[in-house]
């Protein structure tokens, strides 16, 4: 069983991240390479600014919100980050959510679906690679980069993709499935080591 979690990184009211995330979920389901696909909305997860007293490596979480977040991320085999570009970087809420945990992220592929203006969020996507590789995630070079994202929204705030976006999504999911399978032994080792603390 492989589970993909699609994380919507932006949390502000009227964010474009929600329609983009819903579109990515549809694409993942249509692709069919994952047994389970879940949309994880950071606005709903609603983590406060990092307030754990211990380093996440120790897994001595004291807050229920962290224990819940740990359980959610542990379940996943791969991620897509649906991420905006804010001031030529990735958004703070995503960094905060990443920083809460450590081994829960290990040996999981991450696809980057970024959006913004002319840059299509690519500066944010490049910047986050340094962070995710520190946590032993593998970011895919195959990505979906959406320029001037507003142009792809219809009157119902639904994404209407072009051919480039559809092809990029398919390529990204193809590679993600291959990588997710290849990383499985390392992920299982990590999961086994984590099991007692999770229980
Ligand atoms: C604080 C802030 C900073 C932004 N900085 C950039 C930027 O550096 N590059 C860019 O292409 N778009 C930038 N934008 C425009 C966003 O790409 C656009 O508002 C997008 O809808 C943001 O994603 P969201 O709606 O999911 O929050 C910025 C928007 C905000 C709110």
């Amino acid at each position: 069983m492989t589970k993909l979690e699609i994380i919507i990184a932006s949390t502000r009211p009227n964010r474009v991240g929600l329609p983009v995330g819903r579109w990515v979920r549809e694409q993942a389901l249509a692709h069919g390479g994952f047994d389970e696909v879940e949309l994880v909305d950071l606005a709903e997860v609603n983590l406060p600014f990092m307030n754990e007293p211990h380093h996440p490596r120790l897994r001595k979480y004291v807050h229920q919100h962290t224990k819940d977040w740990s359980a959610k991320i542990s379940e996943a085999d791969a991620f897509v980050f649906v991420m905006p570009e804010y001031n030529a970087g990735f958004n703070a809420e995503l960094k905060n959510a990443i920083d809460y945990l450590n081994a829960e992220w290990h040996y999981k592929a991450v696809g980057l679906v970024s959006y913004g203006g002319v840059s299509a969020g690519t500066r944010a996507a490049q910047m986050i690679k340094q962070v995710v590789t520190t946590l032993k995630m593998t970011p895919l070079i195959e990505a979906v980069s959406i320029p001037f994202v507003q142009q792809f929204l219809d009157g119902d705030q639904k994404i209407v993709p072009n051919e480039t976006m559809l092809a990029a999504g398919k390529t990204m999911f193809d590679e993600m499935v291959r990588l997710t399978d290849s990383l499985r032994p390392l992920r299982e080792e990590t999961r086994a080591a984590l099991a007692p603390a999770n229980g």
Side-chain angles (χ1 to χ4, degrees):
M1 288 287 286
T2 50
K3 178 171 184 182
L4 172 68
E5 290 183 359
I6 298 165
I7 298 183
I8 298 178
S10 64
T11 59
R12 65 192 187 94
N14 300 329
R15 64 228 149 101
V16 175
L18 190 57
V20 176
R22 288 179 176 148
W23 172 71
V24 172
R25 181 170 177 275
E26 275 171 26
Q27 297 309 300
L29 290 171
H31 181 271
F34 294 90
D35 299 305
E36 201 182 334
V37 177
E38 183 180 350
L39 209 49
V40 177
D41 184 349
L42 289 190
E44 282 175 18
V45 175
N46 200 21
L47 291 165
F49 265 134
M50 170 59 159
N51 62 354
E52 285 291 335
H54 309 292
H55 193 292
R57 256 199 320 260
L58 303 173
R59 292 172 53 74
K60 286 167 61 179
Y61 303 135
V62 303
H63 296 294
Q64 190 57 45
H65 56 250
T66 316
K67 292 174 189 170
D68 293 344
W69 184 231
S70 169
K72 176 58 61 197
I73 296 305
S74 296
E75 284 167 18
D77 295 291
F79 304 103
V80 171
F81 290 172
V82 174
M83 50 190 298
E85 180 172 296
Y86 288 171
N87 297 312
F90 55 82
N91 65 318
E93 297 81 2
L94 179 57
K95 180 67 160 59
N96 186 53
I98 291 171
D99 289 342
Y100 259 98
L101 307 176
N102 190 275
E104 293 87 338
W105 299 109
H106 287 186
Y107 304 119
K108 298 177 183 179
V110 57
L112 304 174
V113 175
S114 67
Y115 56 89
V118 68
S119 67
T122 51
R123 293 174 293 200
Q126 284 304 105
M127 192 183 269
I128 210 163
K129 288 177 184 173
Q130 179 178 337
V131 175
V132 297
T133 51
T134 303
L135 288 161
K136 299 184 195 282
M137 277 183 264
T138 304
L140 301 181
I141 184 67
E142 295 80 4
V144 182
S145 316
I146 309 175
F148 299 108
V149 62
Q150 293 285 346
Q151 70 181 311
F152 297 106
L153 284 176
D154 70 9
D156 297 323
Q157 293 295 293
K158 203 165 178 285
I159 291 288
V160 182
N162 63 15
E163 288 304 315
T164 307
M165 288 161 65
L166 291 170
K170 161 94 170 65
T171 309
M172 181 183 78
F173 286 124
D174 284 348
E175 185 65 5
M176 190 178 283
V177 167
R178 277 155 46 86
L179 200 56
T180 298
D181 285 345
S182 309
L183 291 172
R184 187 181 311 282
L186 294 170
R187 221 167 34 247
E188 282 177 359
E189 231 174 69
T190 304
R191 272 207 183 111
L194 292 185
N198 275 343

